[in-house]
Amino acid sequence: MHGFGLNTCHVIPTGNRPVVTGSVSSTKPRVFTVHLCSQRTGTLHSRSGSAPKHICNSDRAAAPVAEEVPSPDGAAALEHSEQFKVHLLAALEDPRVQEKNEVTPEIQTMVDQLKSVSPKDRKKVTMDGIKGTFRGVLTDIERMTKDGITDLGTMSFKQFKPTDTTVKCSMTTLKIGIDWDNQYQVEIPMTFQDGPLAGVQAKQVVSGDYRVDDDEPTKQKIGFTALKLSLDTSDSAAKEKWLDVMRKENDKMDDEGKISLTFHQPMQAWRDFLYFDEQLQISIGNRGSMTIIQQ
């Protein structure tokens, strides 16, 4: 996924300080439903008619299977979370997702089901429950094309210059609670697309702390405190161009070409979890962006 972590949170100028404020194509999107049987067991199916893994644990021949009934409130998806995850992981293998960062109708249907569940009925977030190292899989963030093209200003809260230079973001890595207990860190590799730095590879790292609380137990609240941009190649010619261009624009650059910024007050954002387990997380950012990350 392209540049997910930072762009789920957008910067809106407030006074003199930026403040963080944090959607391809199958004609028949699947709708997850529960098939009923004579006992209190069942399995998730899709409207596309895929075969069930089981109907009942006993009296299989006599067990009546009801017609598929849509579950728009998402209750079936949460009750049968393992089956839901299997179908979601399969949907994420779609080339439109893998190659174009495209939210397919099938995935949109599943996300909409989860959105319909009241926060009070969702799984509660805990500090340990969301820790891990994740890769970005899919996002529908604004101000970025499906193939990861955006500008440096959008990616950096308008902190790194030239802000209008075009960059292409690639696989995002998130570290949550790895190096310290409440760590939230996003690493975004990018390749410059135009100007004298065209083709040069760099990496941006934004880091801070997160917390969860009882008042809003489905949310991860994040305070970004530091931002870094550095060259991501050992090529000597690229380093020479990098130092020549970026040092003129960024007075915080050191001799190795790294630009490091610290925010005197944390820039606030949050993620509202629709679904999570030890391998997969689906969340909505505070500006409405949907993101899916995977261990």
Side-chain angles (χ1 to χ4, degrees):
M1 187 184 60
H2 310 294
F4 136 70
L6 183 55
N7 279 278
T8 56
C9 315
H10 297 274
V11 179
I12 295 179
T14 302
N16 295 322
R17 182 175 301 282
V19 177
V20 177
T21 66
S23 207
V24 176
S25 149
S26 169
T27 58
K28 292 185 178 180
R30 297 181 181 181
V31 177
F32 286 88
T33 62
V34 176
H35 284 240
L36 305 176
C37 63
S38 58
Q39 298 181 2
R40 297 186 65 184
T41 60
T43 185
L44 279 176
H45 289 254
S46 70
R47 225 173 238 186
S48 61
S50 55
K53 292 185 179 179
H54 70 275
I55 297 176
C56 290
N57 293 329
S58 62
D59 197 17
R60 194 177 287 257
V65 179
E67 291 296 318
E68 291 179 311
V69 180
S71 301
D73 63 355
L78 292 181
E79 183 180 355
H80 301 270
S81 60
E82 283 303 313
Q83 295 98 320
F84 176 85
K85 185 169 78 171
V86 168
H87 283 279
L88 177 60
L89 290 174
L92 291 172
E93 293 299 317
D94 190 307
R96 292 167 295 177
V97 177
Q98 295 287 320
E99 299 170 10
K100 299 180 180 180
N101 189 48
E102 189 169 341
V103 181
T104 63
E106 181 177 4
I107 291 174
Q108 187 64 59
T109 297
M110 287 186 269
V111 171
D112 288 344
Q113 286 181 308
L114 295 176
K115 283 182 177 180
S116 70
V117 178
S118 170
K120 67 182 179 61
D121 295 323
R122 294 186 210 147
K123 185 178 178 181
K124 310 309 178 189
V125 175
T126 63
M127 293 289 287
D128 289 336
I130 55 176
K131 288 183 177 181
T133 300
F134 298 86
R135 65 180 180 90
V137 179
L138 182 63
T139 184
D140 62 1
I141 60 176
E142 300 174 354
R143 294 188 291 180
M144 179 182 287
T145 65
K146 289 180 178 179
D147 56 357
I149 300 293
T150 186
D151 58 72
L152 185 60
T154 295
M155 290 306 301
S156 67
F157 302 143
K158 299 191 181 300
Q159 300 299 304
F160 299 138
K161 300 174 183 179
T163 57
D164 60 350
T165 193
T166 304
V167 296
K168 182 174 183 177
C169 303
S170 53
M171 183 67 70
T172 298
T173 300
L174 286 87
K175 291 183 177 181
I176 303 175
I178 298 298
D179 299 324
W180 64 89
D181 283 344
N182 59 339
Q183 174 193 27
Y184 188 89
Q185 180 170 296
V186 187
E187 299 179 1
I188 308 171
M190 61 181 71
T191 303
F192 283 70
Q193 299 295 295
D194 52 19
L197 293 178
V200 173
Q201 296 176 324
K203 181 170 67 175
Q204 177 176 282
V205 178
V206 57
S207 57
D209 299 324
Y210 77 93
R211 63 184 175 86
V212 297
D213 58 50
D214 294 336
D215 293 336
E216 295 180 287
T218 65
K219 289 183 178 180
Q220 178 187 37
K221 298 180 180 180
I222 305 156
F224 292 112
T225 57
L227 189 62
K228 296 180 181 179
L229 181 66
S230 59
L231 195 64
D232 196 25
T233 177
S234 58
D235 182 76
S236 58
K239 183 176 181 179
E240 184 177 348
K241 287 192 293 185
W242 176 264
L243 291 171
D244 181 56
V245 173
M246 298 299 284
R247 180 174 285 154
K248 295 175 183 177
E249 300 275 0
N250 302 274
D251 57 8
K252 300 292 185 181
M253 176 180 280
D254 65 19
D255 292 340
E256 293 300 314
K258 180 185 292 186
I259 312 167
S260 301
L261 303 174
T262 300
F263 304 126
H264 297 296
Q265 293 187 4
M267 303 174 74
Q268 303 296 328
W270 49 256
R271 293 199 297 150
D272 191 12
F273 284 85
L274 302 179
Y275 176 93
F276 72 95
D277 60 18
E278 68 280 359
Q279 294 181 326
L280 194 68
Q281 297 181 4
I282 307 173
S283 62
I284 303 296
N286 44 307
R287 285 295 302 277
S289 300
M290 183 277 297
T291 56
I292 301 176
I293 61 176
Q294 186 177 1
Q295 281 269 29

